[in-house]
Amino acid sequence: MAMKRAASSAVRSLLSSTASTFCRNIHVPGESKKIVGVFYKGNEYAKLNPNFVGCVEGALGIREWLESQGHQYIVTDDKEGPDSELERNLSDAHVIISTPFHPAYVTAERIKKAKNLELLLTAGIGSDHIDLKAAAAAGITVAEVTGSNVVSVAEDELLRILILIRNFLPGYHQAVNGEWNVAGIAHRAYDLEGKTVGTVGAGRIGKLLLQRLKPFNCNLLYFDRLRMDPELEKEIGAKFEEELDAMLPKCDVIVINTPLTEQTRGLFDKEKISKCKKGVLIVNNARGAIMDTQAVADACSNGHVAGYSGDVWFPQPAPKDHPWRSMPNHAMTPHISGTTIDAQLRYAAGVKDMLDRHFRGEDFPEQNYIVKEGQLASQYR
Amino acid sequence: MAMKRAASSAVRSLLSSTASTFCRNIHVPGESKKIVGVFYKGNEYAKLNPNFVGCVEGALGIREWLESQGHQYIVTDDKEGPDSELERNLSDAHVIISTPFHPAYVTAERIKKAKNLELLLTAGIGSDHIDLKAAAAAGITVAEVTGSNVVSVAEDELLRILILIRNFLPGYHQAVNGEWNVAGIAHRAYDLEGKTVGTVGAGRIGKLLLQRLKPFNCNLLYFDRLRMDPELEKEIGAKFEEELDAMLPKCDVIVINTPLTEQTRGLFDKEKISKCKKGVLIVNNARGAIMDTQAVADACSNGHVAGYSGDVWFPQPAPKDHPWRSMPNHAMTPHISGTTIDAQLRYAAGVKDMLDRHFRGEDFPEQNYIVKEGQLASQYR
């Protein structure tokens, strides 16, 4: 590994044409790299908080450090189409840093153009905006800051469960509109206590959610490929469900906590939603494309789904006429849960750490890899 | 007691003029009583949920039971002014059932008019809409359904903490308005984890909130007259603060969990708010009058308070021009947290139980009494 990464610039073209597909992340210590970061613009908000490092202006707070080491650091929000700043910098970029909150779609075509690309880093979690198979085939390493957003997203999921079950938004609208009609809120407001909450997927975020739900005295269920360690399961107090279709009709609240893969894309279509209890509440901070967009909008309109909340859409940014913006009983926001100030500081530190290791030819923390040496991480296979 | 309550209708006027002030809740088993319930109207929502018993139409679900026992049951939402249905039924009412969600103000003047009044029941918790001293002096028993709302309100407080700290509402507005500007949300969105949350008052609701906060890994503080049992304090994981003014500057989030009394009325005025950390978030589901209305609105406008959320106002219903409806960074609703469907079913059952005991001449569960035999419960003294 160390030898391979130490290959000089001069032999790079030779290597990339003759050696294995794992060889793109070659490296010469001390060599100047071109790093392209694609984030959302802060605009007037950029200066309001010194810890707001996740925006273009904040640039993860690593510009000074990168430039002091002789690297070039281009940061932009301009990512769509052939004239975008991302596209114009593709051909000689060594590293692209992207985020799920303003996803720079790194397609097979773009990977082909990016001849020097060694490393794709996700500032945050969730790398499905990258064509992982194409990246693997091209020998590019893909990594994210695993763990940087898990607490943020789990907290946000509990927020959304409470917003829906307690029917917060109609009350807020009344307050703003000068109204006072308790019945208009109370007739469909419930306590969370005593309800059945099921998570589809119980990875790190799902587990943190279940832990936060425990004092609410709910009936907690989880569906996943693997059952938790019995000790942990007992501590968390959730019951394992072997079959998704067996869990769905039991749940008053369903939370999606599974990555977007070929298996989960469009999983919640009309048929799957019809298996849920009438009046179910659904929270999805995972990925928008796990749901069939129109099926969700229809189920909210006909009342089968009594409330839907999440911060993920397909595509992102959501178009102005995305049906989830106007369907009844939604509590949607733009993609935000994993980019709190606290999360930004965590993923900025994680990106800096991985860049530093990359420059030194060192491995990343194992759990950060999404594509390593041509292999996809297990959750993306 | 049993003897006193068994006094016949014939001797009532004698008793009430000559005996002690504790004698109004006299009773003859089997006698027909007039019960007046004052609730909010359900209108078009009344029929949408068979468990929606808290509205006028739902009438706590006790009409059939009361009438089958020969009692008269008047239910109305009409409570203001001399021509209101409440006022017109005062003179011969034996029992008035009111709720904090649509408070029938039972003043000294009204108590004077209600010559037959024996019992004031609060369907829910919080009897400060009743002139308790006047009720005590007139020998009227006042009781509420202690415990019926505690889970509901504690859940709702945690909801409001999360709404404010994670900056939910600007994101929701973007979703509805066809916008996508992550920076506009993220620059002031935080995780709850690691923040300092202090409750002013740690009675039943405060304790339930602290228990629900525990898995969020916050720094938890509480101010109260009495320190908790050390075992409980350790289990809950909150630190006791002897002085309110010492706790306030430490808190990122302050939650009000104290009843409205002469000591707490207007407690959070301009001076008290100035002792809080700049950027503090305040949640108040206790009573609106604990805050100085204008001081809160001013502090939200100048940014000293970064967010304010609650479901209590003074007065209630809040007038259309109440400043909290339009102040920046609020997440207000009408008075709702203790009247979820679950809470309604609990307080309806509690009211029925107390009426049943009253008709039988039996005592109530001790913790339900607010005024008993001329004495106010300790928290209202």
Side-chain angles (χ1 to χ4, degrees):
Chain A
M1 265 305 281
M3 281 304 295
K4 189 171 64 188
R5 283 192 175 159
S8 81
S9 183
V11 298
R12 191 184 296 162
S13 58
L14 183 68
L15 266 171
S16 64
S17 59
T18 61
S20 85
T21 56
F22 311 136
C23 296
R24 259 211 193 174
N25 54 347
I26 47 185
H27 175 68
V28 179
E31 191 184 3
S32 173
K33 298 285 184 182
K34 178 168 179 176
I35 294 125
V36 179
V38 185
F39 311 119
Y40 52 84
K41 266 208 175 160
N43 293 322
E44 69 269 34
Y45 305 106
K47 286 187 180 155
L48 295 180
N49 190 334
N51 292 323
F52 185 19
V53 294
C55 61
V56 167
E57 296 86 340
L60 301 184
I62 55 174
R63 178 176 298 285
E64 209 174 317
W65 172 72
L66 280 173
E67 292 178 349
S68 75
Q69 304 207 358
H71 302 297
Q72 188 188 358
Y73 187 31
I74 309 281
V75 179
T76 182
D77 75 321
D78 183 19
K79 64 188 178 67
E80 304 297 338
D83 296 329
S84 63
E85 196 162 352
L86 169 60
E87 196 91 13
R88 281 186 275 117
N89 284 285
L90 267 183
S91 64
D92 59 346
H94 298 95
V95 180
I96 296 174
I97 311 171
S98 58
T99 95
F101 312 106
H102 181 75
Y105 291 96
V106 183
T107 58
E109 196 188 348
R110 280 181 165 172
I111 286 171
K112 216 170 173 182
K113 284 188 195 164
K115 300 277 181 227
N116 287 355
L117 196 60
E118 304 162 0
L119 180 62
L120 284 163
L121 289 178
T122 298
I125 307 276
S127 301
D128 47 65
H129 55 283
I130 296 168
D131 187 325
L132 297 176
K133 283 182 186 161
I140 296 167
T141 298
V142 183
E144 48 188 42
V145 190
T146 299
S148 65
N149 73 348
V150 290
V151 163
S152 307
V153 177
E155 285 189 4
D156 201 84
E157 289 175 347
L158 186 44
L159 162 64
R160 288 169 198 269
I161 293 171
L162 289 167
I163 283 176
L164 294 179
I165 202 158
R166 305 191 60 83
N167 206 23
F168 170 79
L169 282 165
Y172 171 72
H173 291 138
Q174 287 186 23
V176 171
N177 297 333
E179 298 161 28
W180 187 281
N181 182 349
V182 173
I185 314 160
H187 76 283
R188 63 196 311 270
Y190 293 86
D191 293 344
L192 181 53
E193 182 167 271
K195 307 304 180 291
T196 296
V197 183
T199 175
V200 182
R204 293 184 68 177
I205 294 171
K207 286 194 189 83
L208 289 171
L209 172 66
L210 290 170
Q211 286 166 337
R212 279 154 183 73
L213 279 166
K214 197 177 181 194
F216 283 86
N217 304 315
C218 298
N219 179 28
L220 300 178
L221 307 176
Y222 74 99
F223 164 75
D224 209 335
R225 291 180 299 180
L226 292 174
R227 189 164 180 168
M228 289 180 206
D229 172 84
E231 282 282 305
L232 182 63
E233 193 180 83
K234 198 179 159 194
E235 182 205 313
I236 286 179
K239 195 172 153 288
F240 178 61
E241 292 279 340
E242 277 181 64
E243 297 291 334
L244 179 58
D245 287 354
M247 180 176 86
L248 293 181
K250 299 177 187 167
C251 296
D252 301 301
V253 182
I254 291 165
V255 188
I256 314 293
N257 275 310
T258 183
L260 177 64
T261 65
E262 288 316 307
Q263 284 71 49
T264 64
R265 187 177 299 274
L267 177 65
F268 278 79
D269 55 9
K270 188 177 173 181
E271 194 212 333
K272 194 65 85 188
I273 291 171
S274 75
K275 290 183 174 153
C276 301
K277 194 186 271 195
K278 187 168 158 55
V280 69
L281 306 174
I282 299 178
V283 168
N284 175 17
N285 281 4
R287 280 297 177 266
I290 295 170
M291 319 305 286
D292 175 327
T293 298
Q294 195 55 48
V296 169
D298 291 346
C300 282
S301 295
N302 68 32
H304 192 89
V305 170
Y308 183 92
S309 183
D311 71 336
V312 288
W313 310 64
F314 184 78
Q316 287 184 187
K320 280 191 198 310
D321 62 351
H322 194 293
W324 293 0
R325 291 186 184 270
S326 55
M327 65 189 179
N329 300 314
H330 82 74
M332 296 299 299
T333 68
H335 197 167
I336 179 70
S337 65
T339 185
T340 56
I341 296 294
D342 307 78
Q344 291 173 42
L345 292 172
R346 284 191 295 264
Y347 65 65
V351 165
K352 186 180 176 190
D353 173 62
M354 286 193 283
L355 287 172
D356 193 34
R357 289 170 187 251
H358 183 68
F359 299 150
R360 294 173 191 277
E362 292 171 9
D363 273 4
F364 302 160
E366 198 57 38
Q367 72 274 14
N368 286 12
Y369 286 108
I370 301 304
V371 175
K372 184 185 182 185
E373 300 176 7
Q375 294 295 316
L376 267 67
S378 62
Q379 75 269 29
Y380 281 101
R381 271 175 222 160
Chain B
M1 267 302 283
M3 280 305 293
K4 189 170 66 187
R5 285 192 173 162
S8 81
S9 182
V11 297
R12 190 184 297 162
S13 58
L14 182 71
L15 265 171
S16 65
S17 59
T18 62
S20 84
T21 55
F22 311 138
C23 297
R24 258 211 194 176
N25 54 347
I26 47 186
H27 175 66
V28 178
E31 191 185 4
S32 172
K33 298 285 183 180
K34 177 168 180 176
I35 294 126
V36 179
V38 186
F39 312 120
Y40 51 85
K41 267 207 175 161
N43 293 323
E44 69 270 33
Y45 304 107
K47 285 185 183 158
L48 296 181
N49 190 335
N51 291 322
F52 185 19
V53 294
C55 60
V56 167
E57 296 86 339
L60 303 184
I62 56 174
R63 177 176 298 285
E64 210 174 316
W65 172 72
L66 280 173
E67 292 178 349
S68 75
Q69 304 208 355
H71 302 297
Q72 188 187 358
Y73 187 31
I74 309 281
V75 179
T76 182
D77 74 322
D78 184 20
K79 63 187 179 68
E80 304 296 336
D83 296 329
S84 63
E85 196 161 352
L86 170 60
E87 196 92 13
R88 281 185 276 119
N89 284 287
L90 268 183
S91 64
D92 59 347
H94 298 95
V95 180
I96 297 174
I97 310 171
S98 59
T99 96
F101 312 107
H102 181 74
Y105 290 96
V106 183
T107 59
E109 196 188 350
R110 282 181 163 172
I111 286 172
K112 216 171 172 181
K113 283 187 196 165
K115 300 279 181 224
N116 287 354
L117 196 61
E118 304 161 1
L119 179 61
L120 285 163
L121 288 178
T122 299
I125 307 276
S127 300
D128 48 65
H129 54 284
I130 296 169
D131 186 326
L132 298 176
K133 282 182 186 161
I140 296 167
T141 298
V142 183
E144 48 189 43
V145 190
T146 298
S148 65
N149 73 349
V150 291
V151 163
S152 307
V153 177
E155 285 189 4
D156 201 85
E157 289 175 347
L158 186 45
L159 162 64
R160 289 169 197 269
I161 293 171
L162 289 168
I163 283 176
L164 293 179
I165 202 157
R166 304 191 60 84
N167 206 23
F168 169 79
L169 282 166
Y172 172 72
H173 290 138
Q174 287 186 22
V176 171
N177 297 332
E179 298 161 28
W180 188 281
N181 182 349
V182 173
I185 314 160
H187 77 282
R188 64 196 310 270
Y190 293 86
D191 293 343
L192 181 52
E193 181 168 272
K195 308 302 181 291
T196 297
V197 183
T199 175
V200 181
R204 293 184 69 177
I205 294 171
K207 286 194 189 84
L208 289 171
L209 172 66
L210 290 169
Q211 285 166 339
R212 279 155 183 72
L213 279 167
K214 197 177 181 194
F216 282 87
N217 303 316
C218 298
N219 179 28
L220 300 177
L221 308 176
Y222 74 99
F223 164 75
D224 209 335
R225 291 180 297 181
L226 292 174
R227 190 164 180 167
M228 290 179 207
D229 172 83
E231 282 283 305
L232 183 64
E233 192 180 84
K234 198 179 159 194
E235 183 205 313
I236 286 180
K239 195 172 153 288
F240 178 62
E241 292 278 337
E242 278 182 62
E243 298 290 336
L244 179 58
D245 287 355
M247 180 176 85
L248 294 181
K250 297 177 189 168
C251 296
D252 301 302
V253 181
I254 292 165
V255 188
I256 314 294
N257 275 310
T258 183
L260 178 64
T261 65
E262 289 316 307
Q263 283 72 50
T264 63
R265 188 177 297 275
L267 177 66
F268 278 79
D269 55 10
K270 188 177 172 181
E271 193 212 333
K272 194 64 86 189
I273 291 171
S274 75
K275 290 183 175 153
C276 301
K277 195 187 269 196
K278 186 168 158 55
V280 68
L281 306 174
I282 299 178
V283 168
N284 175 17
N285 281 3
R287 281 296 177 265
I290 295 170
M291 319 306 286
D292 175 327
T293 298
Q294 194 55 49
V296 169
D298 291 346
C300 282
S301 295
N302 69 32
H304 192 87
V305 171
Y308 183 91
S309 183
D311 71 336
V312 289
W313 310 64
F314 185 78
Q316 288 185 188
K320 279 189 198 311
D321 63 350
H322 194 294
W324 293 0
R325 290 186 185 269
S326 56
M327 65 189 180
N329 299 314
H330 82 74
M332 297 299 299
T333 68
H335 197 167
I336 179 70
S337 65
T339 186
T340 56
I341 296 294
D342 307 80
Q344 291 173 43
L345 292 172
R346 284 191 295 263
Y347 65 66
V351 165
K352 186 180 176 190
D353 174 63
M354 286 193 283
L355 286 172
D356 194 35
R357 289 170 187 250
H358 183 68
F359 299 150
R360 294 174 191 275
E362 291 170 10
D363 273 4
F364 301 161
E366 199 58 38
Q367 71 274 14
N368 286 12
Y369 286 107
I370 301 303
V371 175
K372 183 185 182 184
E373 298 176 8
Q375 294 294 317
L376 265 67
S378 62
Q379 74 269 30
Y380 280 101
R381 271 174 222 160

